[in-house]
Amino acid sequence: MSLCGSVSAANLTCQTSSIPMGKQSLRRRRSSPLRVVCMDYPRPELENAVNFLEAASLSASFRSSPRPRKPLKVVIAGAGLAGLSTAKYLADAGHKPLLLEARDVLGGKVAAWKDDDGDWYETGLHIFFGAYPNVQNLFGELGINDRLQWKEHSMIFAMPNKPGEFSRFDFPEVLPAPINGIWAILKNNEMLTWPEKVKFAIGLLPAMIGGQAYVEAQDGLSVTQWMRKQGIPDRVTDEVFIAMSKALNFINPDELSMQCILIALNRFLQEKHGSKMAFLDGNPPERLCMPIVDHMESLGGEVRLNSRIKKIELNDDGTVKNFVLSGGDIIEGDAYVFATPVDILKLLLPEIWRDIPYFKRLEKLVGVPVINVHIWFDRKLKNTYDHLLFSRSPLLSVYADMSVTCKEYYNLNQSMLELVFAPAEEWISRSDSEIIDATMKELAKLFPDEISADQSKAKILKYHVVKTPRSVYKTIPNCEPCRPLQRSPVEGFYLAGDYTKQKYLASMEGAVLSGKLCAQSIVQDYELLVSLGQKGLAAASL
């Protein structure tokens, strides 16, 4: 899910399938759109958190910066959260962003589509955490805080050895951080024994004492390697961190860098509401992305869909001359930003840039495959919660009954489960029907009284399978030094994306922060970019 992030995946390609069962179509017994029907909790008090204040200060710096005597035209490739964030904050600073999106939908890793029945299906299961200060500021700046549906402060895990039962970590609201998190762990006696908790706590002491320097030094070890080095029983990894690793980066703990886990634990445990979760109240393109676009366009920015970059054309000195679109259009600007997934950037890198160390290090950053599954059932499932659930399944990561958790998707009579299928490397090339069959076998274990693999109990009305062959970058050991800063060594060329250097790793928060840092770099380089433009005009006149 990119737990320190969203449960989401970027689309290099996206395959979907909508299969009505027989001639029966899904009859929607739904109340009016966005009617308040879910058991939501009040928005937590985030405004006094240090990270929230830091993010708010960065946002304010764009609005208060001196108005440019000549606004820059900044061409941005990619309308995911990184590109949208870059454009939004450049517009706040008085510049004129032009956002180019290859597809006909906004959102990138948070894209979604509407099927013939009017139901939405998404690229990923998106969770918004209290420990997302830049995302939370963004919602406030756009005036859409009410679109987040906050859930109770808990983390809920399925119990494979007790089918149909769950184990909870409940964070008391009356306790400050990190005591509330410690209390939640100590009170849970179903997943870890007391000796295991003690050994785990002792193993974590170096991270708590060593701080950020220690955390960064663990990038060379996988989760499994670090746990064993610290003398933590393998059962702790099996019981907790397989689920955590799959939620954070869609891979297992023998592959995931321990730095990723430690950063997530630090964010979630050091802030009282850090691990508190919220669902968006509807589909991301309309409920989150369009408010950003409306804001940017009100300040003179522009968005163009169906505008795929075919080539980055260079000047004689190696700087960017223009972007050439697949339809032949040539787009020129005062500065250029690539806010696409890293795999797309690598495909389009000009040949003469490839040996520059800044770009050459990108070779190790590779998107991880992930699959998002939506299944509509003919009845309301009872063995679920109004919350995100960790499946602890070998094939599934996290899931939610979106007919309960999300206002726009609410349905009184039928459930729609949205599930993240991960790790997906061995499944990404398999047929949708094979993936659904495997998913149903796992669901039969989670819902033994309600679901069977042969559909003799709850029946599938339809399903959608969204495959993303290259999603967020695979956070394996020794990747951290390869993550690039937003300002590239090529004057006038910048990067944004959750794979770029920022402290929240591969997540929605990381994407938004990367966009802010990219916009900040461009604002700081204003005089340089103006002078580059003047040189270009002089050369053209000659």
Side-chain angles (χ1 to χ4, degrees), residues 152-159 166-173 180-193 197 200 236 239-241 243-244 265 269 275-277 385 387-390 392:
E152 60 182 322
H153 199 170
S154 303
M155 301 184 80
I156 306 173
F157 291 74
M159 299 290 287
F166 297 86
S167 180
R168 300 170 60 100
F169 292 87
D170 295 317
F171 295 70
E173 292 295 326
N180 62 342
I182 294 171
W183 180 268
I185 295 170
L186 294 179
K187 287 288 288 183
N188 183 299
N189 294 316
E190 297 163 315
M191 293 176 64
L192 299 178
T193 65
K197 292 177 187 178
F200 180 43
V236 175
E239 289 294 299
V240 178
F241 288 101
M244 287 279 288
L265 290 175
L269 294 179
S275 56
K276 195 162 190 176
M277 305 180 204
Y385 285 88
H387 212 295
L388 179 77
L389 302 171
F390 292 81
R392 298 176 73 203

Side-chain angles (χ1 to χ4, degrees), residues 298-430:
S298 73
L299 297 174
E302 182 183 354
V303 177
R304 298 183 193 174
L305 301 178
N306 298 305
S307 299
R308 186 179 298 276
I309 308 296
K310 179 182 178 181
K311 182 182 179 182
I312 302 173
E313 198 165 55
L314 304 183
N315 294 305
D316 293 339
D317 62 359
T319 59
V320 179
K321 181 178 182 181
N322 55 56
F323 285 169
V324 181
L325 305 186
S326 56
D329 290 350
I330 293 176
I331 308 296
E332 297 180 342
D334 299 302
Y336 300 86
V337 177
F338 244 70
T340 69
V342 66
D343 299 276
I344 293 179
L345 169 65
K346 289 191 291 185
L347 287 174
L348 291 172
L349 271 181
E351 194 63 37
I352 66 169
W353 289 2
R354 293 181 183 272
D355 289 331
I356 299 173
Y358 174 91
F359 294 112
K360 193 170 183 61
R361 286 192 292 268
L362 297 178
E363 293 175 4
K364 188 164 184 179
L365 302 180
V366 178
V368 63
V370 69
I371 299 169
N372 206 50
V373 177
H374 311 69
I375 303 179
W376 283 259
F377 289 97
D378 67 346
R379 65 194 68 183
K380 200 72 177 174
L381 300 173
K382 299 176 182 178
N383 190 36
T384 187
Y385 285 88
D386 180 10
H387 212 295
L388 179 77
L389 302 171
F390 292 81
S391 76
R392 298 176 73 203
S393 152
L395 296 182
L396 305 176
S397 173
V398 291
Y399 68 98
D401 186 345
M402 299 298 282
S403 71
V404 174
T405 61
C406 176
K407 293 174 186 175
E408 188 176 13
Y409 302 165
Y410 178 76
N411 190 308
L412 182 64
N413 302 303
Q414 298 159 347
S415 284
M416 187 276 271
L417 294 185
E418 185 171 346
L419 312 103
V420 178
F421 197 104
E425 189 167 358
E426 296 180 8
W427 288 86
I428 198 75
S429 61
R430 298 200 191 185

